[in-house]
Amino acid sequence: MAGLFNNLLVLFFVFQNICVGFRSPLSVFKRYKDTTRSFSSECLGSDQPVISLGLSDFALDIRMPSVTPKQSDTYLCMSAPLPVDDEAYVVDFKPHASMDTVHHMLLFGCNEPSSTENYWDCDEGTCKDKSNILYAWARNAPPTRLPEGVGFRVGGETGGRFFVLQVHYGDISAFRDKHKDCSGVTLHLTHQKQPLIAGMYLMMSVNTVIPPGEKVVDADIACHYKRFPMHLFAYRVHTHRLGKVVSGYRVRNGQWTLIGRQSPQLPQAFYPVERPVEVSYDDTLAARCVFSGEGRTTETHIGGTANDEMCNFYIMYYMEAKHAVSYMTCTQNANPELFRNIPQEANVPIQIMSDMLKMTHGHHEETKDSDKSSLLKQVEKEEEEILEQNFHIEEAVEWPGLDLKLGQVSGLALDAENNLVIFHRGDHVWDENSFDNTFVYQQRGLGPIEQSTILVLHTSNAKLLQSLGKSLFYLPHGLSIDKNGNYWVTDVALHQVRLH
Protein backbone atom coordinates (compact mmCIF):
# COMPACT_ATOMS: atom_id res chain seq x y z
CA MET A 1 0.00 0.00 0.00
CA ALA A 2 2.98 2.29 0.27
CA GLY A 3 2.77 5.09 -2.20
CA LEU A 4 -0.88 4.48 -2.98
CA PHE A 5 -1.79 7.88 -1.61
CA ASN A 6 0.01 9.38 -4.58
CA ASN A 7 -2.55 7.80 -6.85
CA LEU A 8 -5.65 9.54 -5.65
CA LEU A 9 -8.74 9.14 -7.76
CA VAL A 10 -11.77 11.21 -6.83
CA LEU A 11 -15.04 9.46 -7.64
CA PHE A 12 -18.61 10.50 -7.09
CA PHE A 13 -20.48 10.48 -3.79
CA VAL A 14 -24.22 10.49 -3.67
CA PHE A 15 -24.77 13.79 -1.87
CA GLN A 16 -22.65 16.14 -4.02
CA ASN A 17 -24.15 17.87 -7.03
CA ILE A 18 -21.33 16.93 -9.36
CA CYS A 19 -21.24 15.38 -12.80
CA VAL A 20 -19.89 11.97 -13.67
CA GLY A 21 -17.83 10.92 -16.66
CA PHE A 22 -15.40 8.40 -18.05
CA ARG A 23 -11.90 8.96 -19.40
CA SER A 24 -12.91 6.41 -22.00
CA PRO A 25 -16.00 4.21 -22.30
CA LEU A 26 -14.36 1.40 -20.34
CA SER A 27 -12.08 3.32 -18.01
CA VAL A 28 -12.47 4.79 -14.55
CA PHE A 29 -14.71 7.69 -13.67
CA LYS A 30 -13.35 11.22 -13.66
CA ARG A 31 -14.91 14.09 -11.79
CA TYR A 32 -16.52 17.29 -12.90
CA LYS A 33 -17.27 19.66 -10.03
CA ASP A 34 -19.88 22.36 -10.43
CA THR A 35 -19.18 25.85 -9.16
CA THR A 36 -22.62 25.87 -7.56
CA ARG A 37 -24.42 23.25 -5.57
CA SER A 38 -28.17 23.26 -5.55
CA PHE A 39 -31.12 20.96 -5.69
CA SER A 40 -33.30 24.04 -5.95
CA SER A 41 -36.78 23.69 -7.36
CA GLU A 42 -37.56 27.38 -6.87
CA CYS A 43 -39.07 29.34 -9.73
CA LEU A 44 -36.36 31.76 -10.74
CA GLY A 45 -38.26 33.25 -13.65
CA SER A 46 -35.57 32.50 -16.24
CA ASP A 47 -36.57 33.38 -19.79
CA GLN A 48 -33.51 31.65 -21.27
CA PRO A 49 -34.24 27.90 -21.36
CA VAL A 50 -31.50 27.47 -23.99
CA ILE A 51 -27.96 28.55 -23.13
CA SER A 52 -25.02 28.35 -25.52
CA LEU A 53 -22.01 26.47 -24.15
CA GLY A 54 -19.70 27.09 -27.10
CA LEU A 55 -19.65 26.39 -30.80
CA SER A 56 -21.16 22.92 -30.63
CA ASP A 57 -22.69 22.56 -27.15
CA PHE A 58 -25.75 24.06 -25.47
CA ALA A 59 -27.84 23.58 -22.33
CA LEU A 60 -31.61 23.13 -22.25
CA ASP A 61 -33.47 23.90 -19.03
CA ILE A 62 -36.68 21.86 -18.64
CA ARG A 63 -38.77 22.96 -15.64
CA MET A 64 -42.32 22.66 -14.38
CA PRO A 65 -44.00 26.04 -15.11
CA SER A 66 -44.78 27.26 -11.57
CA VAL A 67 -47.22 24.51 -10.55
CA THR A 68 -48.97 23.78 -7.25
CA PRO A 69 -50.35 20.24 -7.04
CA LYS A 70 -53.74 20.09 -5.37
CA GLN A 71 -53.72 16.49 -4.13
CA SER A 72 -51.21 13.83 -3.15
CA ASP A 73 -49.91 11.40 -5.76
CA THR A 74 -50.39 13.90 -8.55
CA TYR A 75 -48.47 13.24 -11.78
CA LEU A 76 -47.89 16.37 -13.85
CA CYS A 77 -46.29 16.49 -17.31
CA MET A 78 -44.88 19.26 -19.48
CA SER A 79 -43.07 19.24 -22.81
CA ALA A 80 -40.12 21.11 -24.28
CA PRO A 81 -39.21 21.02 -27.98
CA LEU A 82 -35.68 20.31 -29.07
CA PRO A 83 -34.49 23.80 -30.06
CA VAL A 84 -32.60 22.59 -33.13
CA ASP A 85 -33.69 20.70 -36.25
CA ASP A 86 -30.56 18.66 -36.80
CA GLU A 87 -29.30 15.72 -34.80
CA ALA A 88 -27.93 16.33 -31.30
CA TYR A 89 -26.77 14.23 -28.38
CA VAL A 90 -27.62 14.51 -24.68
CA VAL A 91 -24.42 13.97 -22.69
CA ASP A 92 -25.32 15.28 -19.23
CA PHE A 93 -28.28 15.62 -16.86
CA LYS A 94 -28.48 17.98 -13.89
CA PRO A 95 -31.58 17.62 -11.65
CA HIS A 96 -33.32 20.49 -9.87
CA ALA A 97 -35.63 18.93 -7.30
CA SER A 98 -35.91 17.97 -3.66
CA MET A 99 -37.53 14.90 -2.15
CA ASP A 100 -39.28 17.31 0.25
CA THR A 101 -41.70 18.06 -2.59
CA VAL A 102 -41.04 15.58 -5.41
CA HIS A 103 -41.34 11.80 -5.18
CA HIS A 104 -39.63 11.17 -8.51
CA MET A 105 -39.09 12.58 -12.01
CA LEU A 106 -38.91 10.87 -15.39
CA LEU A 107 -37.73 12.43 -18.64
CA PHE A 108 -39.01 10.97 -21.91
CA GLY A 109 -38.05 11.56 -25.52
CA CYS A 110 -40.67 11.38 -28.28
CA ASN A 111 -42.04 13.15 -31.36
CA GLU A 112 -45.56 14.05 -30.21
CA PRO A 113 -46.42 14.92 -26.60
CA SER A 114 -49.86 13.94 -25.35
CA SER A 115 -50.86 17.56 -24.88
CA THR A 116 -50.00 21.00 -26.21
CA GLU A 117 -50.90 22.67 -22.90
CA ASN A 118 -48.33 24.41 -20.74
CA TYR A 119 -48.58 21.38 -18.45
CA TRP A 120 -51.14 18.62 -17.99
CA ASP A 121 -52.20 15.72 -15.80
CA CYS A 122 -50.13 12.71 -16.86
CA ASP A 123 -53.24 10.54 -16.73
CA GLU A 124 -53.72 11.89 -20.27
CA GLY A 125 -50.46 10.18 -21.18
CA THR A 126 -46.92 11.38 -21.80
CA CYS A 127 -46.57 10.93 -25.56
CA LYS A 128 -48.93 10.00 -28.38
CA ASP A 129 -46.19 8.07 -30.17
CA LYS A 130 -43.51 5.75 -28.83
CA SER A 131 -41.60 7.28 -25.93
CA ASN A 132 -38.15 6.48 -24.57
CA ILE A 133 -37.02 7.03 -20.98
CA LEU A 134 -33.88 9.15 -21.01
CA TYR A 135 -33.48 9.92 -17.33
CA ALA A 136 -34.96 9.13 -13.92
CA TRP A 137 -34.50 10.83 -10.56
CA ALA A 138 -35.68 10.25 -7.00
CA ARG A 139 -34.59 10.76 -3.38
CA ASN A 140 -32.15 13.65 -3.82
CA ALA A 141 -30.05 11.78 -6.36
CA PRO A 142 -26.97 13.49 -7.84
CA PRO A 143 -26.45 14.29 -11.54
CA THR A 144 -25.60 11.69 -14.16
CA ARG A 145 -22.89 12.18 -16.77
CA LEU A 146 -22.46 9.73 -19.59
CA PRO A 147 -19.12 8.14 -20.53
CA GLU A 148 -16.96 10.05 -23.00
CA GLY A 149 -18.06 9.41 -26.57
CA VAL A 150 -21.55 8.32 -25.50
CA GLY A 151 -24.80 10.26 -25.89
CA PHE A 152 -28.56 9.88 -26.17
CA ARG A 153 -29.40 10.65 -29.80
CA VAL A 154 -32.20 13.18 -30.30
CA GLY A 155 -33.51 15.12 -33.30
CA GLY A 156 -32.55 14.49 -36.90
CA GLU A 157 -34.27 11.68 -38.81
CA THR A 158 -34.32 9.08 -36.04
CA GLY A 159 -34.30 10.89 -32.68
CA GLY A 160 -37.22 12.39 -30.80
CA ARG A 161 -37.99 16.10 -31.26
CA PHE A 162 -39.63 16.67 -27.87
CA PHE A 163 -38.73 16.08 -24.27
CA VAL A 164 -41.55 15.33 -21.83
CA LEU A 165 -40.93 15.80 -18.12
CA GLN A 166 -43.11 13.82 -15.71
CA VAL A 167 -43.05 14.84 -12.04
CA HIS A 168 -44.72 12.75 -9.35
CA TYR A 169 -45.74 14.83 -6.34
CA GLY A 170 -46.27 12.32 -3.52
CA ASP A 171 -47.32 13.85 -0.21
CA ILE A 172 -48.36 17.44 -0.95
CA SER A 173 -48.31 18.61 2.68
CA ALA A 174 -45.18 20.57 1.73
CA PHE A 175 -47.46 22.77 -0.41
CA ARG A 176 -49.59 24.03 2.47
CA ASP A 177 -48.16 27.49 1.83
CA LYS A 178 -49.41 27.29 -1.80
CA HIS A 179 -45.93 27.96 -3.17
CA LYS A 180 -45.08 27.31 -6.82
CA ASP A 181 -42.82 24.49 -7.93
CA CYS A 182 -40.41 24.53 -10.85
CA SER A 183 -38.69 21.18 -10.42
CA GLY A 184 -36.98 19.80 -13.50
CA VAL A 185 -33.69 18.97 -15.15
CA THR A 186 -31.04 20.75 -17.20
CA LEU A 187 -29.67 18.88 -20.21
CA HIS A 188 -26.22 19.33 -21.72
CA LEU A 189 -26.40 18.66 -25.45
CA THR A 190 -23.80 18.64 -28.18
CA HIS A 191 -23.85 18.62 -31.98
CA GLN A 192 -20.63 16.61 -32.04
CA LYS A 193 -21.44 13.17 -33.40
CA GLN A 194 -21.03 10.50 -30.73
CA PRO A 195 -19.64 7.13 -31.85
CA LEU A 196 -21.57 5.25 -29.17
CA ILE A 197 -25.28 5.71 -28.55
CA ALA A 198 -26.76 5.48 -25.07
CA GLY A 199 -29.98 3.69 -24.26
CA MET A 200 -32.11 2.60 -21.33
CA TYR A 201 -33.11 -0.96 -20.44
CA LEU A 202 -35.94 -1.08 -17.90
CA MET A 203 -36.61 -4.24 -15.90
CA MET A 204 -39.93 -3.95 -14.09
CA SER A 205 -42.22 -6.24 -12.11
CA VAL A 206 -45.90 -5.66 -12.89
CA ASN A 207 -47.71 -8.32 -10.83
CA THR A 208 -45.95 -8.60 -7.46
CA VAL A 209 -48.20 -8.80 -4.40
CA ILE A 210 -46.75 -8.22 -0.91
CA PRO A 211 -48.86 -9.90 1.81
CA PRO A 212 -49.28 -7.94 5.07
CA GLY A 213 -46.75 -8.88 7.73
CA GLU A 214 -44.72 -11.05 5.36
CA LYS A 215 -41.05 -10.72 6.30
CA VAL A 216 -39.51 -11.46 2.91
CA VAL A 217 -41.13 -11.19 -0.54
CA ASP A 218 -39.05 -11.61 -3.70
CA ALA A 219 -40.02 -10.04 -7.01
CA ASP A 220 -38.07 -11.66 -9.85
CA ILE A 221 -37.70 -10.46 -13.44
CA ALA A 222 -35.79 -12.18 -16.26
CA CYS A 223 -35.61 -11.86 -20.05
CA HIS A 224 -33.49 -13.39 -22.80
CA TYR A 225 -31.46 -10.84 -24.76
CA LYS A 226 -31.75 -11.15 -28.55
CA ARG A 227 -29.94 -8.11 -29.97
CA PHE A 228 -26.48 -6.82 -30.81
CA PRO A 229 -24.01 -6.46 -27.92
CA MET A 230 -24.59 -3.68 -25.44
CA HIS A 231 -22.17 -2.36 -22.84
CA LEU A 232 -23.59 -1.56 -19.41
CA PHE A 233 -22.11 1.35 -17.50
CA ALA A 234 -24.67 2.55 -14.92
CA TYR A 235 -27.73 1.31 -13.07
CA ARG A 236 -30.51 2.66 -10.87
CA VAL A 237 -32.92 0.91 -8.52
CA HIS A 238 -36.42 2.04 -7.59
CA THR A 239 -39.00 0.85 -5.09
CA HIS A 240 -41.17 2.64 -2.57
CA ARG A 241 -41.08 2.24 1.23
CA LEU A 242 -41.13 -1.57 1.48
CA GLY A 243 -38.10 -2.23 -0.73
CA LYS A 244 -34.98 -3.54 1.04
CA VAL A 245 -32.53 -4.31 -1.75
CA VAL A 246 -32.62 -4.53 -5.56
CA SER A 247 -30.03 -6.49 -7.55
CA GLY A 248 -29.44 -6.98 -11.28
CA TYR A 249 -27.36 -9.60 -13.09
CA ARG A 250 -26.24 -10.89 -16.46
CA VAL A 251 -26.53 -14.69 -16.63
CA ARG A 252 -24.35 -16.47 -19.18
CA ASN A 253 -23.79 -20.23 -19.28
CA GLY A 254 -25.02 -20.52 -15.71
CA GLN A 255 -22.66 -17.84 -14.42
CA TRP A 256 -24.17 -14.82 -12.64
CA THR A 257 -22.35 -11.52 -13.12
CA LEU A 258 -23.45 -8.63 -10.93
CA ILE A 259 -24.53 -5.48 -12.76
CA GLY A 260 -25.49 -3.56 -9.65
CA ARG A 261 -27.00 -3.92 -6.20
CA GLN A 262 -28.31 -1.10 -4.03
CA SER A 263 -30.78 -0.11 -1.33
CA PRO A 264 -33.75 1.74 -2.83
CA GLN A 265 -33.92 3.78 0.39
CA LEU A 266 -30.69 5.59 -0.52
CA PRO A 267 -30.62 8.42 -3.09
CA GLN A 268 -31.86 6.79 -6.28
CA ALA A 269 -29.07 7.86 -8.56
CA PHE A 270 -27.57 6.12 -11.56
CA TYR A 271 -24.55 4.43 -10.00
CA PRO A 272 -21.61 3.22 -12.12
CA VAL A 273 -21.29 -0.53 -12.53
CA GLU A 274 -18.41 -1.88 -10.47
CA ARG A 275 -16.76 -3.27 -13.59
CA PRO A 276 -17.80 -3.13 -17.28
CA VAL A 277 -20.42 -5.69 -18.26
CA GLU A 278 -21.15 -6.67 -21.86
CA VAL A 279 -24.45 -8.32 -22.74
CA SER A 280 -24.48 -10.44 -25.89
CA TYR A 281 -27.05 -12.32 -27.92
CA ASP A 282 -28.75 -15.11 -25.91
CA ASP A 283 -27.57 -13.87 -22.50
CA THR A 284 -30.22 -13.51 -19.79
CA LEU A 285 -30.81 -10.34 -17.80
CA ALA A 286 -32.20 -11.03 -14.33
CA ALA A 287 -33.21 -8.80 -11.43
CA ARG A 288 -34.66 -9.28 -7.97
CA CYS A 289 -36.38 -6.82 -5.61
CA VAL A 290 -36.67 -7.86 -1.97
CA PHE A 291 -39.60 -6.43 -0.02
CA SER A 292 -40.93 -6.75 3.51
CA GLY A 293 -44.63 -6.44 4.31
CA GLU A 294 -43.99 -5.97 8.02
CA GLY A 295 -46.04 -3.11 9.41
CA ARG A 296 -48.70 -3.33 6.69
CA THR A 297 -52.22 -4.58 7.45
CA THR A 298 -53.36 -5.07 3.87
CA GLU A 299 -51.87 -6.43 0.67
CA THR A 300 -49.53 -4.09 -1.22
CA HIS A 301 -49.63 -4.18 -5.02
CA ILE A 302 -47.54 -2.68 -7.80
CA GLY A 303 -48.97 0.74 -8.59
CA GLY A 304 -48.42 4.43 -9.09
CA THR A 305 -49.14 5.87 -5.64
CA ALA A 306 -46.68 6.25 -2.78
CA ASN A 307 -48.59 3.60 -0.80
CA ASP A 308 -48.28 1.09 -3.63
CA GLU A 309 -44.96 -0.49 -4.55
CA MET A 310 -42.69 -0.60 -7.56
CA CYS A 311 -39.86 -2.91 -8.53
CA ASN A 312 -37.69 -1.27 -11.17
CA PHE A 313 -34.09 -1.91 -12.21
CA TYR A 314 -32.86 0.62 -14.79
CA ILE A 315 -29.75 -0.07 -16.87
CA MET A 316 -27.89 2.56 -18.87
CA TYR A 317 -25.97 1.06 -21.76
CA TYR A 318 -24.29 2.06 -24.98
CA MET A 319 -24.12 0.36 -28.37
CA GLU A 320 -22.33 1.01 -31.63
CA ALA A 321 -24.26 3.70 -33.48
CA LYS A 322 -25.14 1.47 -36.45
CA HIS A 323 -26.89 -1.07 -34.19
CA ALA A 324 -28.22 1.28 -31.53
CA VAL A 325 -31.61 0.74 -29.88
CA SER A 326 -32.57 3.55 -27.56
CA TYR A 327 -35.02 1.83 -25.21
CA MET A 328 -35.83 -1.76 -24.20
CA THR A 329 -38.01 -3.27 -21.48
CA CYS A 330 -38.39 -6.52 -19.59
CA THR A 331 -41.59 -7.08 -17.57
CA GLN A 332 -41.72 -10.86 -17.24
CA ASN A 333 -39.95 -13.74 -15.56
CA ALA A 334 -39.05 -15.94 -18.51
CA ASN A 335 -37.32 -18.57 -16.35
CA PRO A 336 -38.47 -18.85 -12.71
CA GLU A 337 -36.23 -21.89 -12.17
CA LEU A 338 -33.23 -19.69 -12.95
CA PHE A 339 -33.59 -17.92 -9.60
CA ARG A 340 -32.81 -21.09 -7.67
CA ASN A 341 -29.19 -20.20 -8.36
CA ILE A 342 -29.27 -16.45 -7.75
CA PRO A 343 -26.32 -15.35 -5.57
CA GLN A 344 -27.16 -15.12 -1.85
CA GLU A 345 -26.16 -11.44 -1.84
CA ALA A 346 -29.42 -10.65 -3.64
CA ASN A 347 -31.25 -11.29 -0.35
CA VAL A 348 -28.81 -9.45 1.90
CA PRO A 349 -30.14 -5.99 2.79
CA ILE A 350 -27.85 -3.01 2.23
CA GLN A 351 -26.89 -1.55 5.60
CA ILE A 352 -27.83 2.10 5.89
CA MET A 353 -25.87 3.89 8.61
CA SER A 354 -27.95 6.16 10.84
CA ASP A 355 -25.98 9.20 9.74
CA MET A 356 -26.71 8.31 6.13
CA LEU A 357 -30.38 8.16 7.02
CA LYS A 358 -30.13 11.67 8.44
CA MET A 359 -28.71 12.88 5.14
CA THR A 360 -31.34 11.05 3.10
CA HIS A 361 -34.42 11.61 5.21
CA GLY A 362 -33.56 14.08 7.95
CA HIS A 363 -34.59 17.25 6.11
CA HIS A 364 -37.94 15.97 4.87
CA GLU A 365 -40.47 18.22 6.55
CA GLU A 366 -43.25 15.66 6.34
CA THR A 367 -41.32 12.99 8.27
CA LYS A 368 -42.76 12.67 11.75
CA ASP A 369 -40.57 11.93 14.78
CA SER A 370 -42.20 8.52 15.11
CA ASP A 371 -41.36 7.76 11.48
CA LYS A 372 -37.72 8.72 12.07
CA SER A 373 -37.62 6.48 15.13
CA SER A 374 -39.11 3.64 13.11
CA LEU A 375 -36.55 4.15 10.34
CA LEU A 376 -33.64 4.09 12.79
CA LYS A 377 -35.02 0.97 14.48
CA GLN A 378 -35.25 -0.68 11.08
CA VAL A 379 -31.62 0.21 10.37
CA GLU A 380 -30.53 -1.32 13.68
CA LYS A 381 -32.59 -4.40 12.91
CA GLU A 382 -31.05 -4.79 9.46
CA GLU A 383 -27.56 -4.47 10.90
CA GLU A 384 -28.27 -7.50 13.10
CA GLU A 385 -29.99 -9.79 10.61
CA ILE A 386 -29.61 -11.01 7.05
CA LEU A 387 -32.82 -12.00 5.34
CA GLU A 388 -33.24 -15.78 5.07
CA GLN A 389 -29.68 -16.39 6.21
CA ASN A 390 -28.31 -17.86 9.47
CA PHE A 391 -25.06 -16.03 10.13
CA HIS A 392 -24.01 -15.52 13.76
CA ILE A 393 -22.27 -12.41 15.10
CA GLU A 394 -20.86 -12.14 18.62
CA GLU A 395 -18.75 -9.62 20.50
CA ALA A 396 -15.07 -10.49 21.22
CA VAL A 397 -15.02 -9.02 24.73
CA GLU A 398 -11.35 -9.89 25.37
CA TRP A 399 -9.90 -8.69 22.06
CA PRO A 400 -6.73 -6.67 22.86
CA GLY A 401 -7.70 -3.95 20.42
CA LEU A 402 -10.51 -2.71 22.66
CA ASP A 403 -8.12 -0.23 24.25
CA LEU A 404 -7.41 1.56 20.97
CA LYS A 405 -7.93 5.31 21.08
CA LEU A 406 -10.31 5.94 18.19
CA GLY A 407 -12.75 8.59 17.13
CA GLN A 408 -16.15 7.76 15.67
CA VAL A 409 -15.62 4.57 13.66
CA SER A 410 -17.30 4.91 10.27
CA GLY A 411 -15.95 1.89 8.38
CA LEU A 412 -14.56 -1.60 9.01
CA ALA A 413 -13.22 -4.17 6.53
CA LEU A 414 -10.92 -7.17 6.25
CA ASP A 415 -8.09 -7.15 3.71
CA ALA A 416 -6.80 -10.13 1.72
CA GLU A 417 -4.52 -11.13 4.64
CA ASN A 418 -7.50 -11.06 7.01
CA ASN A 419 -6.16 -7.96 8.75
CA LEU A 420 -8.71 -5.56 10.22
CA VAL A 421 -8.85 -2.16 8.53
CA ILE A 422 -10.47 0.66 10.52
CA PHE A 423 -11.61 4.01 9.12
CA HIS A 424 -12.37 6.53 11.89
CA ARG A 425 -12.95 10.24 12.40
CA GLY A 426 -10.22 11.06 14.91
CA ASP A 427 -11.09 14.25 16.80
CA HIS A 428 -13.86 15.22 14.36
CA VAL A 429 -17.47 14.41 15.22
CA TRP A 430 -20.55 14.09 13.02
CA ASP A 431 -23.43 15.74 14.88
CA GLU A 432 -26.37 18.06 14.24
CA ASN A 433 -23.99 20.96 13.61
CA SER A 434 -21.99 19.28 10.86
CA PHE A 435 -24.26 20.13 7.88
CA ASP A 436 -26.82 22.75 6.96
CA ASN A 437 -30.16 21.87 5.42
CA THR A 438 -28.65 21.73 1.93
CA PHE A 439 -26.04 19.13 3.00
CA VAL A 440 -23.14 21.61 2.96
CA TYR A 441 -20.44 20.88 5.57
CA GLN A 442 -20.23 23.69 8.11
CA GLN A 443 -16.95 22.94 9.92
CA ARG A 444 -14.27 23.15 7.27
CA GLY A 445 -12.56 25.75 9.44
CA LEU A 446 -11.40 22.91 11.66
CA GLY A 447 -9.16 21.72 8.84
CA PRO A 448 -8.56 18.06 7.97
CA ILE A 449 -8.16 15.41 10.67
CA GLU A 450 -4.54 15.45 11.82
CA GLN A 451 -4.55 11.88 13.14
CA SER A 452 -4.15 8.77 10.98
CA THR A 453 -7.69 7.89 9.96
CA ILE A 454 -6.96 4.45 8.44
CA LEU A 455 -5.47 1.81 10.74
CA VAL A 456 -4.48 -1.73 9.72
CA LEU A 457 -4.45 -4.17 12.64
CA HIS A 458 -3.62 -7.84 13.07
CA THR A 459 -6.97 -9.45 13.89
CA SER A 460 -5.60 -11.77 16.60
CA ASN A 461 -3.33 -9.52 18.66
CA ALA A 462 -4.44 -6.04 17.47
CA LYS A 463 -0.84 -5.15 16.53
CA LEU A 464 -0.77 -1.95 14.47
CA LEU A 465 0.59 -2.91 11.05
CA GLN A 466 0.08 0.35 9.22
CA SER A 467 -1.48 3.78 9.71
CA LEU A 468 -2.57 6.07 6.89
CA GLY A 469 -4.64 9.11 6.12
CA LYS A 470 -3.20 12.00 8.12
CA SER A 471 -4.46 15.47 7.13
CA LEU A 472 -6.55 14.13 4.23
CA PHE A 473 -10.10 13.71 5.48
CA TYR A 474 -12.67 15.97 7.12
CA LEU A 475 -15.43 13.50 7.94
CA PRO A 476 -14.74 9.83 7.04
CA HIS A 477 -17.79 7.80 6.15
CA GLY A 478 -17.43 4.45 4.37
CA LEU A 479 -14.74 1.86 3.60
CA SER A 480 -14.56 -1.02 1.13
CA ILE A 481 -11.62 -3.13 -0.09
CA ASP A 482 -11.69 -4.60 -3.58
CA LYS A 483 -10.16 -7.87 -4.76
CA ASN A 484 -6.94 -6.07 -5.71
CA GLY A 485 -6.43 -4.72 -2.21
CA ASN A 486 -7.40 -1.14 -3.06
CA TYR A 487 -9.11 0.90 -0.38
CA TRP A 488 -12.27 2.77 -1.42
CA VAL A 489 -13.15 5.37 1.19
CA THR A 490 -15.73 8.13 1.31
CA ASP A 491 -15.51 11.57 2.91
CA VAL A 492 -19.03 12.87 3.45
CA ALA A 493 -17.81 16.41 4.14
CA LEU A 494 -15.92 16.62 0.84
CA HIS A 495 -18.66 14.63 -0.95
CA GLN A 496 -16.03 12.36 -2.46
CA VAL A 497 -15.08 8.73 -2.82
CA ARG A 498 -11.34 8.10 -2.90
CA LEU A 499 -9.22 5.20 -4.03
CA HIS A 500 -6.04 4.41 -2.07
Side-chain angles (χ1 to χ4, degrees):
M1 262 179 295
L4 287 176
F5 273 85
N6 295 325
N7 297 315
L8 183 71
L9 176 64
V10 179
L11 292 178
F12 84 79
F13 185 58
V14 296
F15 297 114
Q16 176 65 16
N17 191 10
I18 49 182
C19 302
V20 181
F22 278 106
R23 296 185 189 280
S24 69
L26 298 180
S27 67
V28 297
F29 275 85
K30 64 183 178 179
R31 307 306 308 139
Y32 293 81
K33 192 163 184 176
D34 289 339
T35 55
T36 61
R37 189 204 180 283
S38 171
F39 286 110
S40 173
S41 57
E42 296 178 356
C43 299
L44 302 178
S46 172
D47 57 357
Q48 287 187 298
V50 182
I51 302 172
S52 174
L53 300 177
L55 295 177
S56 60
D57 290 20
F58 61 97
L60 177 62
D61 203 32
I62 303 174
R63 303 281 196 118
M64 275 291 154
S66 300
V67 302
T68 302
K70 294 179 173 57
Q71 62 183 30
S72 295
D73 287 317
T74 294
Y75 285 76
L76 296 181
C77 289
M78 60 84 62
S79 66
L82 182 67
V84 295
D85 293 328
D86 52 342
E87 192 171 78
Y89 301 86
V90 181
V91 296
D92 195 6
F93 304 87
K94 181 179 179 181
H96 306 284
S98 169
M99 64 182 287
D100 288 341
T101 53
V102 173
H103 184 272
H104 71 261
M105 299 189 300
L106 292 175
L107 183 69
F108 300 85
C110 63
N111 281 312
E112 188 177 4
S114 292
S115 174
T116 57
E117 298 294 325
N118 199 23
Y119 70 94
W120 66 91
D121 190 315
C122 298
D123 285 346
E124 301 175 26
T126 54
C127 297
K128 293 182 179 179
D129 61 330
K130 180 181 177 182
S131 62
N132 302 324
I133 295 178
L134 302 177
Y135 179 68
W137 174 96
R139 289 189 176 273
N140 288 349
T144 297
R145 188 178 177 92
L146 305 183
E148 186 177 331
V150 175
F152 282 96
R153 184 164 50 197
V154 294
E157 296 181 1
T158 58
R161 297 183 178 277
F162 281 86
F163 299 102
V164 175
L165 175 68
Q166 179 197 86
V167 178
H168 175 197
Y169 297 97
D171 183 348
I172 64 164
S173 59
F175 287 92
R176 291 191 187 111
D177 60 357
K178 308 297 183 183
H179 73 272
K180 305 295 185 180
D181 182 70
C182 292
S183 296
V185 60
T186 299
L187 309 184
H188 180 170
L189 297 100
T190 181
H191 291 292
Q192 293 183 0
K193 197 172 186 65
Q194 303 296 293
L196 302 168
I197 303 303
M200 188 81 70
Y201 192 107
L202 172 58
M203 307 188 72
M204 176 174 62
S205 174
V206 296
N207 56 8
T208 296
V209 177
I210 304 169
E214 191 75 17
K215 184 177 180 181
V216 181
V217 179
D218 296 332
D220 294 334
I221 316 157
C223 286
H224 298 299
Y225 185 73
K226 299 293 185 181
R227 295 182 180 273
F228 286 95
M230 64 176 177
H231 302 267
L232 317 185
F233 64 88
Y235 70 95
R236 173 184 178 266
V237 305
H238 180 69
T239 72
H240 294 170
R241 297 185 184 96
L242 303 185
K244 301 302 179 184
V245 61
V246 182
S247 308
Y249 298 87
R250 180 201 69 189
V251 186
R252 177 183 292 172
N253 299 324
Q255 297 296 313
W256 292 68
T257 299
L258 180 67
I259 299 169
R261 173 177 170 269
Q262 189 56 273
S263 166
Q265 304 309 319
L266 292 174
Q268 294 181 4
F270 276 96
Y271 294 93
V273 297
E274 184 175 339
R275 57 184 60 85
V277 178
E278 180 191 58
V279 178
S280 299
Y281 187 89
D282 220 24
D283 285 341
T284 297
L285 288 167
R288 167 172 285 181
C289 300
V290 178
F291 298 98
S292 174
E294 293 179 308
R296 291 288 175 96
T297 58
T298 59
E299 287 185 343
T300 304
H301 296 258
I302 298 296
T305 76
N307 290 322
D308 295 321
E309 266 304 333
M310 287 186 171
C311 170
N312 294 355
F313 187 77
Y314 296 85
I315 303 170
M316 270 193 184
Y317 61 87
Y318 64 81
M319 306 173 73
E320 291 185 16
K322 61 183 177 181
H323 301 310
V325 178
S326 59
Y327 183 57
M328 293 178 272
T329 60
C330 172
T331 60
Q332 59 180 322
N333 185 358
N335 186 0
E337 292 298 315
L338 180 75
F339 287 88
R340 293 180 179 273
N341 299 313
I342 191 172
Q344 290 185 348
E345 65 184 3
N347 278 78
V348 178
I350 303 289
Q351 294 184 6
I352 308 175
M353 312 244 332
S354 59
D355 47 12
M356 180 73 83
L357 262 181
K358 292 176 187 176
M359 295 289 285
T360 308
H361 298 281
H363 302 288
H364 199 302
E365 295 177 0
E366 298 120 43
T367 303
K368 304 292 189 292
D369 291 340
S370 59
D371 294 334
K372 292 181 182 178
S373 175
S374 175
L375 284 168
L376 292 176
K377 287 179 181 178
Q378 182 63 28
V379 170
E380 293 169 359
K381 181 179 179 182
E382 289 178 359
E383 289 176 346
E384 295 174 358
E385 69 175 18
I386 296 178
L387 300 180
E388 294 185 334
Q389 307 297 321
N390 293 308
F391 294 96
H392 178 63
I393 300 174
E394 63 181 33
E395 181 181 2
V397 294
E398 298 182 356
W399 187 61
L402 295 177
D403 295 329
L404 282 171
K405 302 299 182 184
L406 300 172
Q408 292 178 333
V409 175
S410 62
L412 295 171
L414 294 174
D415 65 16
E417 287 74 41
N418 209 38
N419 297 315
L420 176 64
V421 183
I422 301 173
F423 193 32
H424 73 109
R425 296 176 182 147
D427 58 2
H428 286 203
V429 176
W430 185 334
D431 58 22
E432 65 275 9
N433 300 314
S434 299
F435 295 88
D436 66 12
N437 61 4
T438 60
F439 314 133
V440 176
Y441 186 56
Q442 298 296 294
Q443 298 170 334
R444 294 193 70 135
L446 298 175
I449 301 169
E450 296 182 357
Q451 299 94 344
S452 295
T453 54
I454 301 176
L455 306 177
V456 184
L457 306 177
H458 193 284
T459 50
S460 297
N461 56 26
K463 178 182 178 181
L464 181 63
L465 303 177
Q466 193 166 16
S467 59
L468 309 164
K470 285 185 178 180
S471 300
L472 278 178
F473 301 99
Y474 284 77
L475 208 58
H477 183 63
L479 164 71
S480 296
I481 302 176
D482 65 24
K483 64 180 182 180
N484 298 317
N486 297 311
Y487 293 0
W488 297 83
V489 293
T490 62
D491 188 321
V492 71
L494 299 178
H495 303 294
Q496 294 176 352
V497 176
R498 299 184 174 195
L499 169 65
H500 298 282

